Amino acid sequence: MSLSGATAGELLLRLERGDLTAVEITAGYLDAIAARDGRVQAFLSVNRDEALRQATEIDSRRQRGAPVGKLAGLPVAVKDVICAKGQKTTCASKMLQNFVPPYDAHVITRLRDEDAVLIGRTNMDEFAMGSSTENSAFQVTKNPWNLSHAPGGSSGGSAAAVAAGMSPFSLGSDTGGSIRQPAGFCGVVGIKPTYGRVSRYGLVAFASSLDQIGPFANDVHGAALLLEAIAGRDPRDSTSVDMPVPKYAATVDEPLAGLKIGVAKEHFVAGLNVEVEAAVMAALDVYRKLGAEVKEVSLPHSKYSVAVYYIVCASEASSNLARYDGVHYGHRAESFKDMIDMFCRTRGEGFGAEVKRRIMLGTYALSAGYYDAYYLKALKVRRLIRQDYDEAFKSVDVIVSPSSPTPAFKIGELVDDPLSMYLQDIYTISANLAGLPGIVLPAGFSSSGLPIGLQLQGPAFAEERLLRAARMYERETDWHRRHPELPRG
Amino acid sequence: MNHTVIIGLEVHVQLQTKSKIFCGCSADFNPDHPNVQTCPVCLGLPGALPVMNREAFELGVKTALALNCEISSYTKWDRKHYYYPDLPKGFQISQFDLPFSEDGFLEIETNPETGERRRIGIIRAHLEEDAGKNLHDDAGRSDSQVDLNRAGTPLLEIVSQPDMRTAAEATKYLQELRLLLTYLGVSDCNMQEGSLRCDANVNLHIHQDDGHKVPTPIVEVKNLNSFRNVEIALEYEVQRQLEAFKATGIKFGDKGGHKTTRGFDAGTGKTTPQREKEDSADYRYFPDPDLLPVTVTEDYISSVREALPEFPADRRKRFVAAYQLSDYDVQVIVDQGRGFGDYFEEVAKLCGDGKQACNWVTQDILRELKERKLEFSEFPISAPVLGDLLGRITKKKLTTKSAREIFMDLLDGNGASTARIDEIIAAKGLAIVEDTGAIEKVIATVIDKNAKAVADFKAGKQAAVGALIGQVMREVKGADPQKVREMLIAALSQR
């Protein structure tokens, strides 16, 4: 049976009606992985036996009439940066190649509580540092729409897995656009929630003040379902916020009357691909037809966002990654002279080039004598970036923009040009710096057949608004119904 | 060469919380079972996050208030980075530029003869997590190992001003601080187990003929794990710096005159240089993004302040006034700790005689504790029982001598209750005989038997009475010797 292209909502309906079982669904996706992932290489590991065992158990509970969770029987692929007890969590790094966490991340606990089936672990840029998934120590994930193109990153595996029909939804993490940019590249829906909306407990830290876990799905409703399952206060994460979680999936189909859309003039400047710009303009027309008002807004400090981001994220990364020293777990150099030599060799061998680059950048920025000029200054500008948004959201409900300046670039195209790679995140980074939510959804295709993403950003904790606004557009278009031509399982 | 000694202390106190400062693991001292009190948070596993322990914060505030510190309304946590195997995250969560408390003082007695006291300034007190412990095989036969049971236990770092001028003053400061901490109940201050650790910064100001002073290079002396070691190490260090200056003339700030670290070796009584880092340490402090800043309200500070116990310094003043005791006696009582002072006060109230209670607790009890190698908490006679015993002296139902005999019996391991006091009195016939008729009979017999003594008395030799008292007392156990004396003199006078 082909499940390819089925949305999470459709699968749930069929499960509840009884014309599909969790085992059938799980087996179907496992078959799809077996048939397609040899080419896409989205998965680092597939939990075949455990997923089927979990599905069997869920089916038997459903048959008995015992209670089951809200996602009962739906497979979820998880980015390999989120700890799951007993499942290798490598962060696509040689450093953690054999690391098996003894505990579940909060989101994994939530998924288990809702009876989602943990189908496998997806590829990523090492420690979530990158925009192409080429920085994985293990494999290069391909964009399912064109295998010579990158899926984006750092959550490229999770985006490609959904785009290629190998999972109805997946989890990623977004520090500067790592969910939204690959969602745009792969033509799926991705959400970066408000900072504090989803617990980071068990998310291997890259940049703690920016990281958020979020969902990928092949439609807005699916993303709403998964976000609803993972959001909410967790006392183990001091930065998680105690706010009630709205019923996103229940309200997603309700259009917003009198929607005011902001368009930031700073977003439409040199470097923006003409086809991407045209797609965004066309999307604005769709909204206008739905009765929305489109207004220009200004985010004057957004031009500093990439500079601020690379100081903040690198500084925090240099600290967060200090624990990988070869002493207690993870890679340890085989031969060394003394303790210091062991630390140096272990880290020299265990980390890839991009990770080392950022550790060095961050170490420099935090050094005595430089802290005020770099880190402290970056924090000040970061506040100004947030104030820009606060000001803009006084007059509009959401801000619409591209998700990245171009459609998916070719694999290898930017690997030797870190600065161009960093500019991939120019439309997404500000939301992380400001702690605000953003959603990306498919909004067309380039002339070469690559997906184009549309981003909607909102004020803090306005995920419900973003989902409903995104759904208004999705309902009028069929981009999300298109699927890449890949060998079928 | 005239000089002034400049000493400042950095004291690390392990706070007595149930759980660690950023996770739920037990904070108990448990060196025999390594790594059992650990979890993903204190192991520094990928993805684990810290959550502040409110109890640790409160104990910190309590201590800072007792040290007369200002409590900040806003404080935050910072990461201090360095690589060491006992530091699982590669950084220690500490407080850098905004500690929760600053600018206090602790008063110490600087001259026992005159009772002169002086305030030692406290620069700051801040909270941080402890590291684990590296375990080395001294024989070098196996790899070193790391025990992370201690990793994440709450530490309070108390940094004094360089206000101490002698090694003895430094020791005094440390003792007074320890006393205060134990009064507050925030730490057991066990130096052997490492719950009170002390580093000292010391240098000299050499007086020049023209009146100005030249500082010697500052030395941080580490590993001072007993009061005695603090004193020995500092005395050694002062001598060493003096000789080094005489030999080289190198002053602080000169080439070769930067601050250095030396370790104290209790075996030799000397300090030795510790391995110098090639560059000055750069800990790359920055605010911990995983922890929220802490806002402290006036209400919170008031509620902690209200729950503070009486401080040792206040107790000393009060005891002097309330029980008419000498400064010295009060010092002895209060310095024994809060429980000992409480005990004294209860005994004093029960027996109605502070001076008597003081004599017993400072002499008899301390002597017995020492001889029996007991902690005060193990002392078998409770305050109500001793109060009852001493009350019988005050009420003239027992002689002091009999009470001592009973006191020793109560320590023999067969129980120490008021009922047992009654039993011992009955068994040994120690009750003061108030039956004057019985005493008169004995006196008459004794006088009859001692014609010479009677004659001596009549001849004006008062000393003759003494021998007779002894004889009477032997016959009537429990008689009040003063009473017997009076009755004897009366009887002799009538002869």
Side-chain angles (χ1 to χ4, degrees), chain A residues 206-278:
Chain A
F206 157 21
S208 313
S209 75
L210 304 162
D211 297 341
Q212 269 293 288
I213 297 171
F216 287 98
N218 53 20
D219 71 343
V220 174
H221 175 261
L225 268 178
L226 190 50
L227 178 62
E228 196 176 313
I230 60 172
R233 165 78 178 154
D234 170 17
R236 294 171 301 180
D237 174 1
S238 307
T239 64
S240 100
V241 176
D242 194 5
M243 292 257 290
V245 179
K247 303 281 176 214
Y248 301 124
T251 59
V252 67
D253 276 317
E254 296 168 18
L256 294 159
L259 180 66
K260 287 195 203 104
I261 293 175
V263 177
K265 57 183 178 200
E266 293 83 1
H267 285 162
F268 297 87
V269 289
L272 176 59
N273 174 289
V274 288
E275 290 183 312
V276 172
E277 182 170 0

Side-chain angles (χ1 to χ4, degrees), chain B residues 393-410:
Chain B
I393 302 174
T394 325
K395 293 180 196 122
K396 302 211 179 296
K397 291 185 177 164
L398 266 185
T399 64
T400 301
K401 185 167 170 288
S402 301
R404 288 234 152 71
E405 200 176 330
I406 296 168
F407 177 80
M408 297 309 287
D409 282 355
L410 291 176

Side-chain angles (χ1 to χ4, degrees), chain B residues 312-375:
Chain B
D314 298 328
R315 177 168 274 192
R316 289 191 195 105
K317 283 181 204 144
R318 187 170 62 80
F319 279 5
V320 167
Y323 302 104
Q324 289 87 47
L325 302 179
S326 70
D327 287 345
Y328 175 80
D329 282 341
V330 164
Q331 181 94 12
V332 172
I333 291 172
V334 172
D335 286 2
Q336 293 299 317
R338 186 170 158 189
F340 194 86
D342 291 346
Y343 183 99
F344 155 76
E345 187 153 36
E346 190 174 348
V347 172
K349 282 182 177 156
L350 286 170
C351 77
D353 183 346
K355 184 67 196 162
Q356 178 175 249
C358 171
N359 290 341
W360 280 75
V361 298
T362 58
Q363 291 163 28
D364 301 73
I365 292 187
L366 289 185
R367 180 192 64 238
E368 294 305 320
L369 287 176
K370 196 172 173 197
E371 278 177 10
R372 291 160 200 262
K373 296 190 168 60
L374 290 178
E375 292 294 318

Side-chain angles (χ1 to χ4, degrees), chain A residues 417-470:
Chain A
D417 186 359
L419 204 57
S420 299
M421 190 72 98
Y422 291 176
L423 289 172
Q424 272 300 314
D425 297 330
I426 193 156
Y427 294 110
T428 47
I429 273 174
S430 297
N432 298 82
L433 291 170
L436 303 179
I439 185 169
V440 165
L441 69 161
F445 288 85
S446 70
S447 48
S448 56
L450 289 164
I452 293 172
L454 180 74
Q455 176 176 232
L456 279 66
Q457 296 177 73
F461 299 99
E463 284 84 356
E464 186 188 2
R465 184 193 299 171
L466 289 182
L467 286 159
R468 288 168 66 184

Side-chain angles (χ1 to χ4, degrees), chain B residues 122-175:
Chain B
I122 306 287
I123 297 174
R124 58 187 274 163
H126 73 250
L127 286 158
E128 61 189 24
E129 59 178 344
D130 207 346
K133 217 168 162 47
N134 291 343
L135 310 166
H136 304 293
D137 176 9
D138 290 332
R141 278 188 296 269
S142 62
D143 285 347
S144 293
Q145 296 183 308
V146 186
D147 176 11
L148 294 177
N149 279 348
R150 199 179 69 176
T153 52
L155 284 184
L156 183 68
E157 181 174 331
I158 302 166
V159 184
S160 86
Q161 296 278 5
D163 284 352
M164 287 151 277
R165 295 290 167 267
T166 62
E169 274 183 21
T171 311
K172 190 79 203 171
Y173 164 82
L174 199 58
Q175 283 168 338

Side-chain angles (χ1 to χ4, degrees), chain B residues 69-87:
Chain B
C69 287
E70 296 293 323
I71 308 294
S72 301
S73 58
Y74 177 92
T75 184
K76 67 180 173 74
W77 301 98
D78 300 287
R79 294 182 178 180
K80 175 182 180 178
H81 300 86
Y82 60 92
Y83 288 99
Y84 210 59
D86 65 8
L87 191 70

Side-chain angles (χ1 to χ4, degrees), chain A residues 103 200 202 319-320 328-329 368, chain B residues 44-47 79 81 85 282 290:
Chain A
Y103 76 104
R200 293 182 294 116
S319 172
N320 284 328
H328 298 282
Y329 52 81
Chain B
L45 291 189
R79 294 182 178 180
H81 300 86
D282 183 352
D290 288 329

Side-chain angles (χ1 to χ4, degrees), chain B residues 100-220:
Chain B
F100 79 93
S101 74
E102 287 178 283
D103 198 16
F105 64 86
L106 178 66
E107 201 175 85
I108 62 164
E109 185 180 67
T110 47
N111 185 337
E113 263 100 78
T114 62
E116 188 188 322
R117 307 183 71 77
R118 202 174 76 235
R119 286 179 176 184
I120 304 300
I122 306 287
I123 297 174
R124 58 187 274 163
H126 73 250
L127 286 158
E128 61 189 24
E129 59 178 344
D130 207 346
K133 217 168 162 47
N134 291 343
L135 310 166
H136 304 293
D137 176 9
D138 290 332
R141 278 188 296 269
S142 62
D143 285 347
S144 293
Q145 296 183 308
V146 186
D147 176 11
L148 294 177
N149 279 348
R150 199 179 69 176
T153 52
L155 284 184
L156 183 68
E157 181 174 331
I158 302 166
V159 184
S160 86
Q161 296 278 5
D163 284 352
M164 287 151 277
R165 295 290 167 267
T166 62
E169 274 183 21
T171 311
K172 190 79 203 171
Y173 164 82
L174 199 58
Q175 283 168 338
E176 187 69 15
L177 182 61
R178 180 183 191 267
L179 185 66
L180 180 64
L181 294 163
T182 52
Y183 262 70
L184 295 169
V186 297
S187 175
D188 64 14
C189 293
N190 186 325
M191 289 184 89
Q192 272 67 49
E193 292 180 3
S195 43
L196 184 73
R197 284 168 252 164
C198 178
D199 302 331
N201 283 292
V202 55
N203 75 336
L204 312 177
H205 286 176
I206 311 282
H207 301 191
Q208 304 294 299
D209 294 339
D210 63 2
H212 86 279
K213 294 169 186 174
V214 172
T216 60
I218 297 175
V219 169
E220 181 171 358

